[in-house]
């Protein structure tokens, strides 16, 4: 009898059930989408913060002091140690290799270009294919210095074309496509680069060209690394050598800027790696503000969803007061009526909740695609959690209404005085 | 015939006269007599309006808040003397006035000096207090110099000038100066290789004027561009440009956050609207009998719709205003809790919330009423 009542209730009152169901679907859908976005936003904004450029720098261990003003290096070229270019692909062999967005080696060399003396030519990667084992990836300044803009074209990494900084090009009166004499040989100017920094007065060239001019094949002065890191806390700043093995494992396996720098030093022999504080320090603050904001907004959305679901359930029950009165007049006890309503609510919440969850997951994916150009994935474990919460909220919403409905005198129901 | 004319004329006069006092009396009594339902409908409206206001307030204000966080990255505009020349005298004062109230402008002067054992080191003269304001979040400084001839030594330069904390001598073009290393500096960039002293000490010792001014300009992208244009006009002999690494990345992240917040705001407001709709629909369908009674007493369809629409609009308006007040309070609290500065209440949001509240209340009321219009009053009064 109970099951028949349940079934008939759904079959006959489709419109009312539909309205309540739509409210539950919307509430669950919005809650799911907001939870998915809030849990993923830290990672997404972390990747967007990589447009600030490299946050780690690797230098030779025995490096001597830089004597440089405005990009012009006044140190004799023979001074100072070098890293080996052949060691660089090992960066992709580290534990945190998937957090490394890109790296760019730099080799500044003093040159004369035509009549200009005391110019600096910086050798680097533009978009170079690097092989490590089976992996093939592309890295270079186009990844680590995304604010560099080139008028003309980027030089090929295996060519001897160069880029002129825009202030230098203006001074020399050169445009892309022309040639310039560097260290006694004519080189083609592939483009003019504008960076807003010291490179505007320099020549930027592929690394092999710089190594050839310097006479040191395979040499690299420093490496800029752009990595996705976790905001720093007190644990991150501790000295790894003073930690117990379990704490060391935990530190090593967290993507702090310090632990990634530590691993870079392990991967590249005779190197010293540290964070570029201007980029690394501030991204932690910005990230924690954004995550805090998203958390509060998600809580607000969960509250709004819960209110929407309970309001619609309460309305749906109140509308059926006369039905309740009728059932009681026929002899049903309060408990039986309550159980029937709760059963209806559970079924509605489960079906509408499941549909809402799918809708929310699709919405989250759409948000990820259109705003961040990447996937926002939903953990499957979220489905039972959300369904349970939906059922609980539906109960809570209908409970007060059901209690009021069962107190309603059946006489009024039979008289039609709802 | 005459009686018929009289009755029809009376009826016409009656129909033409305004029914305002009865109208308002019915509306007020409706709310008073069914307090419970009216209050729950009002509460739903207040909560929805509060949520909508808080979200809209945040959307408008968060950009300003996040921009302040981004200012920690330091300078976003730089003024450089053209090669071989110096900045004109008084340039710093002019730059400071042009960069506006929230801006920080810091001069830098550089020279290559020699230590007593012949090593070269770059020395920079600057306004150390202003540098602390500009870059304090990422310059890791053990102690800032305060007195004259105090120096801040980069942690790589310390290897060259001596780390023991003893005063050291530097010479530049034959002139020597004795400096006290008060603190060390660590940034991971070019600053680690330099020695920083106050601009007054630097100019007194070397006579080299400052060649660079780094500026942190506050405000939106357009405001920063306006500062750059103003500076370009003030100092035609200098090179003024934005530090694109900072400005472009900031614009990128802010743009993404803005889109995300907009989507979140729309979703949340939609959900709140559904909450209000379901509560109000229940309240209106509760009034079926009032509706049927009025119709049976002779009210026209249009008057009934007008009456219920006015009730719903009043509910919407009152709920929206209270909700606005609560929402502004919530937004201020969120601002304090997350950003540690209160969010300024944006009263420009009030019209939107008010209109939205009234619109939703009207939608919730009109739909059931227009459905009920077709039903005979007798059916409703009978209880079906």
């Amino acid at each position: 009898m109970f099951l028949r009542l349940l079934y008939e209730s759904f079959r006959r009152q489709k419109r009312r059930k539909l309205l309540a169901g739509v409210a539950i679907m919307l509430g669950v859908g919005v809650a799911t989408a907001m939870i998915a976005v809030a849990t993923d936003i830290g990672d997404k904004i972390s990747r967007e913060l990589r447009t600030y450029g490299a946050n780690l720098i690797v230098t030779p261990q025995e490096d001597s002091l830089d004597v440089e003003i405005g990009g012009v290096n006044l140190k004799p070229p023979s001074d100072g140690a070098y890293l080996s270019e052949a060691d660089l692909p090992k960066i992709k062999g580290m534990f945190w290799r998937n957090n490394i967005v890109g790296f760019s080696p730099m080799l500044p060399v003093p040159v004369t270009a035509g009549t200009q003396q005391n110019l600096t030519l910086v050798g680097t990667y533009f978009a170079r294919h690097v092989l490590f084992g089976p992996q093939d990836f592309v890295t270079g300044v186009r990844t680590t210095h995304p604010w560099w803009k080139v008028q003309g074209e980027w030089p090929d990494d295996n060519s001897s074309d160069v880029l002129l900084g825009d202030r230098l090009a203006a001074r020399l009166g050169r445009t892309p496509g022309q040639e310039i004499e560097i260290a006694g040989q004519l080189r083609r100017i592939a483009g003019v680069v504008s960076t807003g920094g010291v490179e505007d007065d320099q020549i930027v060239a592929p690394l092999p060209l710089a190594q050839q001019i310097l006479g040191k094949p395979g040499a690299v002065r420093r490496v800029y690394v752009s990595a996705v890191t976790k905001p720093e806390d007190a644990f991150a700043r501790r000295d790894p050598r003073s930690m117990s093995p379990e704490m060391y494992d935990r530190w090593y396996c967290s993507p702090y800027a310090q632990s990634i720098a530590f691993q870079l030093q392990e991967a590249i022999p005779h190197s010293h790696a540290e964070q570029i504080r201007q980029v690394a320090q501030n991204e932690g603050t910005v990230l924690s503000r954004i995550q805090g904001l998203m958390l509060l907004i998600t809580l607000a959305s969960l509250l709004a969803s819960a209110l929407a679901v309970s309001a619609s359930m309460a309305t749906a029950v109140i509308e059926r007061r006369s039905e309740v009165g009728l059932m009681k007049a026929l002899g049903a006890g309060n408990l039986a009526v309550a159980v029937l309503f709760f059963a209806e609510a559970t079924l509605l919440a489960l079906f509408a909740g499941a549909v809402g969850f799918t809708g929310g997951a699709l919405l989250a994916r759409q948000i990820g695609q259109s705003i961040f150009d990447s996937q926002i994935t939903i953990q499957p474990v979220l489905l039972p959690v959300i369904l349970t919460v939906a059922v609980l909220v539906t109960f809570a919403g209908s409970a007060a209404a059901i209690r009021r409905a069962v107190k309603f005198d059946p006489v009024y129901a039979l008289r039609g005085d709802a | 015939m005459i009686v018929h004319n009289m009755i029809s004329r009376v009826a016409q006069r009656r129909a033409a006269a305004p029914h305002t006092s009865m109208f308002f009396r019915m509306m007020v009594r409706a709310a008073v007599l069914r307090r419970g339902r009216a209050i729950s409908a009002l509460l739903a409206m207040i909560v929805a309006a509060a949520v909508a206001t808080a979200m809209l307030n945040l959307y408008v204000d968060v950009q300003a808040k996040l921009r302040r966080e981004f200012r920690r990255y330091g300078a976003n505009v730089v003024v450089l003397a053209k090669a071989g020349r110096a900045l004109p005298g008084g340039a710093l004062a002019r730059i400071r006035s042009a960069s506006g109230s929230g801006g920080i402008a810091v001069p830098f002067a550089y020279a290559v000096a020699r230590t007593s054992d012949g090593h070269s080191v770059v020395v920079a003269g600057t306004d150390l207090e202003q540098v602390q304001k500009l870059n304090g979040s990422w310059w890791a400084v053990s102690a800032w110099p305060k007195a004259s001839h105090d120096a801040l030594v980069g942690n790589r330069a310390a290897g060259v000038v001596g780390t023991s904390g003893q005063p050291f001598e530097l010479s530049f073009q034959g002139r020597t100066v004795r400096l006290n290393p008060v603190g060390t500096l660590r940034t991971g960039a070019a600053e680690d290789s330099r020695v920083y002293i106050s601009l007054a000490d630097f100019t007194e010792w070397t006579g080299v004027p400052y060649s660079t001014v780094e500026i942190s300009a506050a405000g939106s992208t357009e405001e920063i561009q306006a500062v750059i244009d103003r500076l370009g006009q003030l100092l035609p002999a200098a090179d003024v440009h934005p530090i694109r690494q900072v400005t472009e990345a900031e614009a990128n992240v802010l743009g993404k956050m803005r889109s995300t917040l907009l989507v979140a705001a729309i979703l949340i407001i939609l959900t709140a609207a559904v909450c209000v709709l379901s509560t109000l629909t229940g309240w209106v369908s509760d009034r079926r009998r009032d509706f049927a009674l009025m119709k049976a007493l002779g009210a026209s369809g249009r008057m009934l719709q007008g009456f219920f629409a006015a009730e719903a609009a009043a509910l919407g308006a009152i709920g929206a205003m209270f909700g606005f007040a609560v929402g502004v309070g919530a937004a201020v609290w969120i601002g304090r809790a997350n950003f540690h500065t209160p969010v300024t209440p944006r009263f420009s949001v009030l019209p939107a919330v008010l209109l939205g509240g009234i619109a939703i209340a009207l939608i919730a009321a009109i739909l059931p009423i227009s459905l009920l219009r077709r039903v005979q009053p007798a059916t409703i009064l009978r209880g079906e």
Side-chain angles (χ1 to χ4, degrees):
Chain A
M1 181 68 181
F2 179 79
L3 286 174
R4 195 190 305 180
L5 279 174
L6 203 59
Y7 171 67
E8 290 295 330
S9 149
F10 273 91
R11 193 171 74 87
R12 284 169 197 262
Q13 294 177 355
K14 281 203 257 296
R15 189 183 61 88
R16 268 206 204 116
K17 295 283 184 295
L18 195 67
L19 286 175
V22 164
I24 295 179
M25 261 194 276
L26 187 66
V28 170
V30 167
T32 314
M34 289 302 303
I35 290 177
V37 170
T39 45
D40 235 6
I41 196 130
D43 191 53
K44 296 282 177 284
I45 295 285
S46 252
R47 286 199 184 259
E48 294 302 326
L49 283 169
R50 298 288 77 248
T51 44
Y52 270 102
N55 48 356
L56 294 159
I57 183 164
V58 185
T59 46
Q61 213 166 27
E62 300 94 25
D63 204 12
S64 60
L65 198 61
D66 267 334
V67 183
E68 177 200 6
I69 297 181
V72 179
N73 201 332
L74 304 154
K75 195 163 66 170
S78 55
D79 220 15
Y82 295 97
L83 295 170
S84 168
E85 190 188 346
D87 290 331
L88 293 186
K90 294 184 197 155
I91 290 178
K92 275 296 188 174
M94 298 175 16
F95 179 79
W96 281 113
R97 57 182 159 280
N98 292 321
N99 281 39
I100 305 283
V101 172
F103 62 85
S104 297
M106 299 267 175
L107 179 66
V109 178
V111 292
T112 56
T115 51
Q116 291 271 330
Q117 300 194 320
N118 284 334
L119 283 182
T120 310
L121 176 137
V122 179
T124 184
Y125 289 167
F126 296 109
R128 176 132 165 178
H129 281 272
V130 178
L131 284 166
F132 179 77
Q135 290 188 55
D136 174 10
F137 59 97
V138 173
T139 186
V141 289
R142 296 183 73 170
T143 316
T144 59
H145 294 68
W147 65 93
W148 285 19
K149 299 277 182 292
V150 162
Q151 188 199 350
E153 316 169 325
W154 290 88
D156 188 275
D157 281 286
N158 300 315
S159 68
S160 58
D161 296 342
V162 299
L163 289 173
L164 288 190
D166 65 356
R167 279 209 295 267
L168 181 63
R171 253 191 318 194
L172 299 179
R174 293 285 212 271
T175 54
Q178 293 181 342
E179 293 197 324
I180 186 169
E181 191 209 334
I182 299 177
Q185 272 212 311
L186 278 177
R187 317 273 179 200
R188 194 179 82 93
I189 301 172
V192 169
V193 67
S194 157
T195 69
V198 297
E199 296 83 7
D200 287 343
D201 286 306
Q202 296 175 341
I203 304 171
V204 184
L207 188 61
L209 178 61
Q211 290 167 340
Q212 183 200 341
I213 294 177
L214 187 61
K216 281 195 165 36
V220 165
R221 203 76 178 75
R222 58 182 94 103
V223 185
Y224 287 98
V225 179
S226 175
V228 174
T229 59
K230 188 170 133 167
E232 189 180 276
D233 51 31
F235 181 59
R237 282 178 227 127
R238 289 178 53 174
D239 187 357
R241 288 170 300 211
S242 69
M243 289 185 194
S244 65
E246 310 86 48
M247 301 198 78
Y248 176 78
D249 270 342
R250 194 155 67 97
W251 182 84
Y252 195 91
C253 298
S254 307
Y256 297 121
Q258 286 90 342
S259 47
I260 296 187
F262 187 77
Q263 292 171 25
L264 281 171
Q265 277 176 206
E266 286 184 331
I268 302 176
H270 309 299
S271 67
H272 170 77
E274 66 180 311
Q275 38 171 322
I276 298 177
R277 291 182 63 90
Q278 181 183 19
V279 178
Q281 286 294 305
N282 294 313
E283 69 189 3
T285 321
V286 169
L287 206 57
S288 62
R289 292 276 181 268
I290 289 179
Q291 278 181 313
L293 182 68
M294 285 308 293
L295 181 68
L296 287 168
I297 291 180
T298 309
L299 287 176
S301 83
L302 289 178
L303 181 71
S305 296
L307 282 173
V309 170
S310 31
S312 62
M313 285 310 294
T315 310
V317 169
I318 289 281
E319 278 182 352
R320 298 165 64 190
R321 262 188 315 213
S322 47
E323 209 181 302
V324 172
L326 202 61
M327 278 195 273
K328 289 191 65 183
L330 287 173
N334 284 354
L335 186 63
V337 173
V339 165
L340 180 68
F341 274 87
F342 279 133
E344 278 181 18
T346 313
L347 276 176
L348 194 63
L350 285 176
F351 283 130
V355 175
F357 182 84
T358 330
L362 286 172
L363 182 64
R365 217 165 65 150
Q366 185 55 40
I367 293 175
Q369 207 58 43
S370 58
I371 299 182
F372 295 103
D373 268 329
S374 65
Q375 297 278 20
I376 291 188
T377 45
I378 303 238
Q379 318 279 32
V381 74
L382 205 57
L383 175 60
V385 173
I386 291 248
L387 282 181
T388 319
V389 174
V391 168
L392 284 172
V393 171
T394 337
F395 271 21
S398 6
I402 291 174
R403 190 155 13 121
R404 218 178 313 150
V406 298
K407 286 210 204 105
F408 194 54
D409 197 328
V411 172
Y412 291 111
L414 290 170
R415 219 164 51 186
D417 259 1
Chain B
M1 183 62 187
I2 302 169
V3 173
H4 178 74
N5 278 346
M6 263 171 53
I7 290 175
S8 63
R9 253 182 292 152
V10 164
Q12 275 174 10
R13 214 186 313 136
R14 275 301 219 15
H19 306 286
T20 37
S21 64
M22 182 67 176
F23 187 79
F24 283 123
R25 200 190 305 175
M26 283 202 296
M27 238 168 55
V28 169
R29 294 289 280 176
V32 166
L33 283 176
R34 289 176 200 273
R35 260 194 300 276
R37 294 290 277 165
I39 285 180
S40 68
L42 194 65
L43 265 175
M45 192 73 229
I46 290 177
V47 167
V51 166
T53 313
M55 282 310 302
L56 287 173
N57 234 342
L58 274 181
Y59 175 70
V60 169
D61 216 52
V62 152
Q63 287 223 78
K65 289 272 173 304
L66 281 177
R67 277 193 213 282
R68 212 169 302 153
E69 299 295 329
F70 280 112
R71 293 278 53 74
R72 294 160 174 267
Y73 277 93
N76 51 3
V77 177
V78 68
V79 176
L80 290 171
K82 291 224 165 78
R85 298 199 265 174
L87 288 172
L92 185 61
R94 272 186 275 170
I95 291 172
R96 285 218 167 112
S97 65
S99 49
S101 57
I104 305 172
V106 187
F108 286 91
Y110 299 103
V112 181
R114 281 192 173 271
T115 62
S116 32
D117 35 348
H119 286 113
S120 299
V121 69
V122 176
V123 182
T126 181
D127 183 340
L128 289 160
E129 258 182 55
Q130 292 288 312
V131 166
Q132 191 171 9
K133 269 176 38 180
L134 180 70
N135 294 331
S137 68
W138 49 281
W139 275 33
V141 172
S142 58
W144 286 89
K146 297 276 192 286
S148 170
H149 288 264
D150 280 350
L152 183 61
V153 180
N155 78 329
R156 283 172 155 219
V160 162
V161 302
T163 40
S164 50
Q166 301 287 348
F168 57 95
E169 284 193 351
L170 292 176
S171 69
F172 176 79
Q173 292 179 351
R175 304 212 288 248
T176 333
V177 74
R178 199 174 173 77
L179 299 170
N180 305 317
V182 162
T184 50
L185 165 67
R186 185 184 199 99
T187 65
E191 293 85 1
D192 288 350
S193 311
R194 299 185 188 142
V195 174
Y196 285 85
I197 59 179
S198 72
L199 192 58
D201 288 343
F202 184 91
T203 335
E204 191 197 326
W205 167 41
T206 63
V208 173
Y210 57 85
S211 56
T212 312
V213 180
E214 288 185 14
I215 304 164
S216 167
S220 65
T221 326
E222 297 82 27
E223 287 165 21
I224 295 178
Q225 189 55 45
V227 168
I228 292 175
D229 295 334
R230 239 179 307 167
L231 288 173
Q233 285 175 343
L234 274 177
L235 303 164
D239 181 11
V240 184
H241 59 250
I243 297 180
R244 294 219 318 269
Q245 174 185 14
V246 172
T247 55
E248 283 185 10
E250 178 177 329
N252 180 35
V253 175
L254 275 179
K256 299 271 188 316
M257 271 317 292
R258 196 190 159 107
S259 311
T260 311
L261 272 181
L262 184 63
V263 168
I266 291 175
L267 287 178
I268 294 179
I269 292 175
L270 206 64
T271 319
V274 165
C275 170
V276 170
L277 255 167
S278 37
T279 316
L280 279 183
T281 323
W283 179 67
V284 168
S285 71
D286 239 17
R287 313 281 306 287
R288 288 203 302 278
R289 307 197 79 226
D290 300 347
F291 171 88
L293 204 59
M294 283 196 270
K295 191 161 180 189
L297 286 174
S300 70
R302 202 175 324 152
M303 189 195 147
L304 279 169
Q305 260 193 330
F307 179 75
F308 279 95
E311 262 194 353
L315 187 78
I318 296 174
M321 282 201 285
F322 279 115
F324 178 79
V326 173
V328 161
V332 166
W333 179 80
I334 289 181
R336 204 167 284 151
N338 196 39
F339 294 102
H340 308 296
T341 55
V343 170
T344 46
R346 303 277 161 155
F347 290 101
S348 52
V349 166
L350 178 58
V353 173
L354 208 56
L355 281 171
I358 294 177
I360 291 190
L362 284 175
I363 293 174
I366 297 296
L367 246 51
I369 294 299
S370 48
L371 281 174
L372 282 174
R373 259 175 42 163
R374 295 191 222 109
V375 184
Q376 290 280 357
T379 323
I380 301 175
L381 287 171
R382 216 163 46 195
E384 284 163 29

